[in-house]
Amino acid sequence: MPARHAAAPLPMRDGVAPSYLWLPEGQWPDMLSFLLERYPQISAAQWLDRMARGEVVDGDGAVLGPGSAYKRGMRIFYYRELERETPIPFHEEILFQDEHLVVVDKPHFLPMTPAGRFVQETLLTRLKKKLDCAELTPIHRLDRETAGVVIFSRQVASRGAYQSLFQRREVRKTYEALAPVLAGRDFPFTYRSRMVEGAQFFLMREEAGEPNSETIIEMIEERGGVALYRLQPHTGRKHQLRVHLAALGIPIVNDAFYPVALPCKEDDMSQPLQLLARAIDFTDPLTGEMRHFESRRMLG
């Protein structure tokens, strides 16, 4: 559920902003009836408890009760809660911060933002609590399985200037990966393909047609039966690096999605994907200064 905007009537709580929902077309006898149908995984007792705490409100901050009238087009706010959440025993490191940016070295397995079965154990929630910054927002994202450098915006006023750098591809992102040795190639080389969504919503696949993804691939060194690669994506397709290396016959070590999606590992954190966002370089749009941020983590 989307996070609140600046005018949300509920404050950030324990690092988590309230979620909101615009009430859709339809007829329900009361608010509780709608919520139970919309969110069947949340019990009536849980909604009643939240309402009793005053944590389900309308856009003006008026507390909604189980018998409150359902009104199409109304926006309601509430906090997303989980009964149980798996602790992530790995910690982020703040590499840099100023009044506009926070640059973080993310560990493997830590999700970027609240979704699914994670709310508190996410990088955004941890940072909001640590920095007491309700406006903190990621400017770009890393998969939960990927570690390394990621940048957050601290304030709305300057956020667009930094977001536009990524939209215009004016940010150089450098990754490292451990994967089998690729023989018969001269390095570096550029790999291009057309990537589209796969049959399963969380996967991507390649198909024939005009390429829409591009990665420069360079071998740094061989380490026994695997090699350390430097990867520079010129496009930002979902799972691009994982798909490209799998397509070359050298899937990234411990990749549970490519080339074949393996059964979900649930809470097993013993085999991190060997993919690291090593560095980010760009010209600061506010100062004109060259920025370089680099992960302190190592693969393997």
Side-chain angles (χ1 to χ4, degrees):
M1 202 55 52
R4 73 175 181 98
H5 59 34
L10 290 174
M12 183 172 73
R13 186 186 71 178
D14 201 19
V16 179
S19 297
Y20 67 81
L21 172 69
W22 293 98
L23 300 188
E25 187 77 48
Q27 293 186 346
W28 285 267
D30 51 45
M31 190 62 65
L32 182 61
S33 299
F34 165 75
L35 291 170
L36 291 175
E37 183 174 324
R38 178 79 180 206
Y39 303 111
Q41 73 277 17
I42 303 176
S43 69
Q46 288 173 303
W47 281 119
L48 291 170
D49 179 54
R50 296 183 191 188
M51 289 173 164
R53 286 184 265 138
E55 294 180 352
V56 182
V57 304
D58 66 16
D60 295 322
V63 175
L64 300 173
S68 295
Y70 180 90
K71 299 177 183 177
R72 180 184 65 84
M74 174 192 291
R75 183 158 62 157
I76 64 170
F77 291 79
Y78 61 95
Y79 293 107
R80 190 164 172 272
E81 299 175 355
L82 296 176
E83 288 189 20
R84 176 186 174 276
E85 190 168 351
T86 301
I88 307 297
F90 309 109
H91 301 285
E92 69 282 357
E93 178 186 359
I94 294 177
L95 299 173
F96 170 86
Q97 59 178 312
D98 63 13
E99 61 182 315
H100 301 288
L101 299 177
V102 179
V103 183
V104 185
D105 205 350
K106 185 183 92 67
H108 290 102
F109 299 110
L110 184 66
M112 286 286 299
T113 58
R117 58 194 185 98
F118 295 100
V119 174
Q120 288 296 321
E121 290 296 286
T122 66
L123 183 56
L124 180 61
T125 301
R126 287 184 181 183
L127 291 173
K128 281 185 172 181
K129 289 194 288 188
K130 185 181 294 185
L131 301 173
D132 191 25
C133 181
E135 291 188 349
L136 198 68
T137 300
I139 295 177
H140 64 115
R141 304 199 177 219
L142 295 177
D143 297 337
R144 178 186 174 223
E145 296 87 357
T146 305
V149 180
V150 66
I151 300 176
F152 290 78
S153 163
R154 291 190 83 133
Q155 54 175 283
V156 175
S158 59
R159 185 168 302 152
Y162 291 100
Q163 287 174 328
S164 65
L165 291 178
F166 286 86
Q167 294 164 356
R168 297 194 303 264
R169 300 180 186 174
E170 294 177 1
V171 176
R172 186 175 71 180
K173 293 182 283 186
T174 303
Y175 290 75
E176 291 177 3
L178 285 177
V181 175
L182 180 61
R185 285 273 191 166
D186 293 327
F187 294 94
F189 68 92
T190 300
Y191 182 87
R192 300 179 181 89
S193 71
R194 180 168 186 80
M195 290 180 55
V196 296
E197 290 188 0
Q200 295 167 286
F201 74 93
F202 56 88
L203 295 178
M204 300 291 285
R205 64 179 177 86
E206 294 183 334
E207 68 173 18
E210 182 72 21
N212 61 6
S213 62
E214 178 177 309
T215 304
I216 297 176
I217 301 172
E218 179 181 358
M219 184 187 292
I220 300 174
E221 64 182 19
E222 291 191 29
R223 295 182 178 179
V226 298
L228 178 64
Y229 294 92
R230 180 179 295 114
L231 311 171
Q232 291 187 317
H234 282 188
T235 51
R237 299 290 170 183
K238 177 182 175 182
H239 294 172
Q240 176 175 318
L241 303 178
R242 300 166 71 171
V243 170
H244 281 184
L245 292 197
L248 288 166
I250 51 167
I252 298 173
V253 173
N254 296 335
D255 194 335
F257 284 3
Y258 304 96
V260 177
L262 302 177
C264 178
K265 295 190 292 185
E266 294 291 341
D267 297 333
D268 180 3
M269 302 180 204
S270 62
Q271 296 181 307
L273 177 71
Q274 293 300 291
L275 179 62
L276 175 70
R278 169 59 67 196
I280 286 182
D281 295 86
F282 59 90
T283 301
D284 193 293
L286 303 184
T287 66
E289 177 185 358
M290 282 299 301
R291 299 281 202 179
H292 173 80
F293 302 109
E294 187 165 333
S295 173
R296 293 175 183 162
R297 302 178 188 276
M298 301 298 291
L299 293 175

